[in-house]
Amino acid sequence: MLSDADYVRFASFFGRPLESFIRDHRNADYPEINHSKSGPATPLLVRDGAVHWHWASSHEVEGGAVTMLLGKKAPDVGGETRFARTSKVYESLSDKMKHWSDGLVARHGLGRAPWIEGETEPDPDRPRRQTDAPDHPLVMAHPVTGRKGIFTSGTAYGIHGMDDAEEIALIRELREHIVRSEHRISCKVRAGDIVLWDHFDAVHGATPTEYSSEQGAVCCTGSAPRACQPSTSRVSE
């Protein structure tokens, strides 16, 4: 198992590590490391808080580009991380839909995207965290490959120039299209495994799990690959 120092150093090959906006989740010695831990005693809405399709830190002005996840513990059954390719989704759109969606700009806020089937909705009684409220292109080109992908994450809640009903309907339709079975895979992260994914071409989400024991991971996310400037990354465990 990598030490915390080695983990951050490895993450730095992919960019400058970012710190989690949730201070309580930061490693005391290495704040670039974000701890994620759940178990039988964890409240349900907190435990399954990542059971929605998203791009980590899309609610921030400087969003992540790469996440590096190191497994510490895993349940015997369940606990998979699911991934869906956003570039494949864009490629599957009609030419008319591509032309229409290119150039649209979406408003983002933490936990504010219209929820779709299978996701865990945020606890309405939980105090809202103070985060950025950025605008991002609805169609985003990969900074290295140039491939376009649909960028709704789990945070897009509005589109400039559209009325409320129209923008919500479009965002929900795109989010449902992104996670169709032909666009997604799943991965079981076990103790000692390191999984990396590219935010510019993927959204991810956890799966609900009935825990008989504790599960834990550490993660690193960055805002841009090494080839891009400015270069940043984030680490979690």
Side-chain angles (χ1 to χ4, degrees), residues 6 21 36 89 96 105 108 127 129 138 140 170 177 182 203 212 231:
D6 287 339
F21 72 100
S36 175
V89 175
K96 180 179 179 180
V105 177
H108 288 255
R129 298 184 186 276
L138 185 62
M140 191 175 291
L170 176 59
H177 187 54
E182 61 265 34
V203 290
S212 57
S231 182

Side-chain angles (χ1 to χ4, degrees), residues 118-130:
E119 294 184 318
T120 298
E121 297 191 42
D123 182 356
D125 298 323
R126 191 175 185 178
R128 186 176 293 274
R129 298 184 186 276
Q130 295 300 313

Side-chain angles (χ1 to χ4, degrees), residues 145-213:
T145 67
R147 294 182 69 178
K148 292 183 176 180
I150 297 295
F151 184 62
T152 57
S153 185
T155 54
Y157 68 92
I159 297 175
H160 289 283
M162 299 178 68
D163 63 40
D164 292 349
E166 187 180 24
E167 62 191 4
I168 290 298
L170 176 59
I171 292 170
R172 178 173 282 116
E173 179 182 355
L174 289 172
R175 296 193 74 229
E176 289 173 340
H177 187 54
I178 288 169
V179 301
R180 290 171 58 175
S181 59
E182 61 265 34
H183 300 144
R184 69 176 194 249
I185 62 170
S186 63
C187 175
K188 177 86 168 189
V189 182
R190 300 187 181 277
D193 290 347
I194 294 179
V195 178
L196 297 92
W197 61 91
D198 180 353
H199 289 189
F200 287 102
D201 201 13
V203 290
H204 71 285
T207 54
T209 303
E210 292 297 328
Y211 295 96
S212 57
S213 60

Side-chain angles (χ1 to χ4, degrees), residues 1 7 36 67-83 185-197 204-207 209 211 214-220 236-237:
M1 187 76 72
Y7 191 50
S36 175
T67 287
M68 187 171 85
L69 181 68
L70 169 62
K72 290 296 187 74
K73 295 181 181 179
D76 294 331
V77 179
E80 291 82 5
T81 300
R82 302 171 296 175
F83 301 94
I185 62 170
S186 63
C187 175
K188 177 86 168 189
V189 182
R190 300 187 181 277
D193 290 347
I194 294 179
V195 178
L196 297 92
W197 61 91
H204 71 285
T207 54
T209 303
Y211 295 96
E214 194 173 79
Q215 171 177 310
V218 295
C219 194
C220 168
S236 302
E237 64 179 1

